[in-house]
Amino acid sequence: MPMFTGPLRGARWITRSTPERLIRVAVEFLEDAGFEQRHDGFDEKLRGRGSEWTAVALEIGDEEKSKRRALLGLVIDELPFPAPRAFQRVLSPTLVVVASRPVGPLVSELIVFPHTSRRGAPPYSRAAAPRVRDALEQITAAAGLEGAMLSHESLAGVPDDGSPVSQAVVREVLGWH
């Protein structure tokens, strides 16, 4: 696995659907990519703050295993054959926030945005990028097939504007660093 697999990017869609359905579809694609839903009351905490967003946080990676295997990875990367599964690198922790809100009658906005962590092996902090990219492509394809997509844009970053996908909210509400 290369040390840098490209930037972690998110995406934003405007679709003909409800926020709950958009969240459900996005979570399914991310779970298929290996992410696990966190059961930390994120949505309830947001509603307690008066947010109009519905949101879910998913995570992948293991802090300790990624650090331990980082040194072993230097040797494994030079092997002329694939390493046995027991020796393969473990992803550093990555959080993905899926958030949706209504923007009109039966029209909703969906944002999916990943956040790396300082925990784990730093050279591999973006190793989850291919998984995130695949899930985003599947969400886009699904919205296109249903004829529900009104607009789509790729996001290299998000402003700290109080939305659930912003770094400030992820840090304050989820304690993610």
Side-chain angles (χ1 to χ4, degrees):
M1 178 185 319
M3 288 176 46
F4 180 76
T5 59
L8 274 172
R9 298 181 70 88
R12 177 179 178 264
W13 299 265
I14 303 293
T15 66
R16 289 184 201 94
S17 190
T18 64
E20 295 76 17
R21 182 169 188 285
L22 292 175
I23 294 278
R24 190 173 55 252
V25 169
V27 166
E28 285 177 18
F29 285 123
L30 286 160
E31 287 176 336
D32 288 347
F35 288 85
E36 294 180 9
Q37 191 170 337
R38 292 171 47 132
H39 298 285
D40 51 13
F42 185 40
D43 194 50
E44 292 79 19
K45 291 174 187 174
L46 290 173
R47 294 203 187 278
R49 297 173 81 169
S51 178
E52 64 183 327
W53 295 88
T54 299
V56 173
L58 297 98
E59 189 174 343
I60 197 170
D62 185 299
E63 176 181 355
E64 290 305 315
K65 287 181 182 178
S66 70
K67 285 181 182 177
R68 281 191 304 233
R69 295 206 182 147
L71 291 175
L72 181 60
L74 296 173
V75 174
I76 291 173
D77 288 346
E78 299 303 317
L79 294 175
F81 53 86
R85 186 170 177 81
F87 295 110
Q88 290 178 0
R89 195 172 331 281
V90 174
L91 295 174
S92 291
T94 303
L95 178 83
V96 176
V97 176
V98 177
S100 186
R101 67 178 173 179
V103 293
L106 290 176
V107 176
S108 299
E109 174 182 18
L110 173 68
I111 300 177
V112 176
F113 199 81
H115 296 273
T116 59
S117 175
R118 292 181 286 183
R119 303 174 297 142
Y124 301 98
S125 64
R126 297 177 183 267
R131 293 173 189 242
V132 174
R133 187 172 42 249
D134 289 346
L136 297 179
E137 288 172 0
Q138 291 175 345
I139 294 166
T140 302
L145 286 174
E146 292 180 7
M149 187 168 28
L150 300 173
S151 72
H152 169 262
E153 66 180 301
S154 179
L155 301 173
V158 290
D160 277 336
D161 60 0
S163 76
V165 298
S166 72
Q167 184 65 41
V169 171
V170 166
R171 190 174 37 253
E172 289 171 24
V173 178
L174 296 175
W176 185 263
H177 297 283

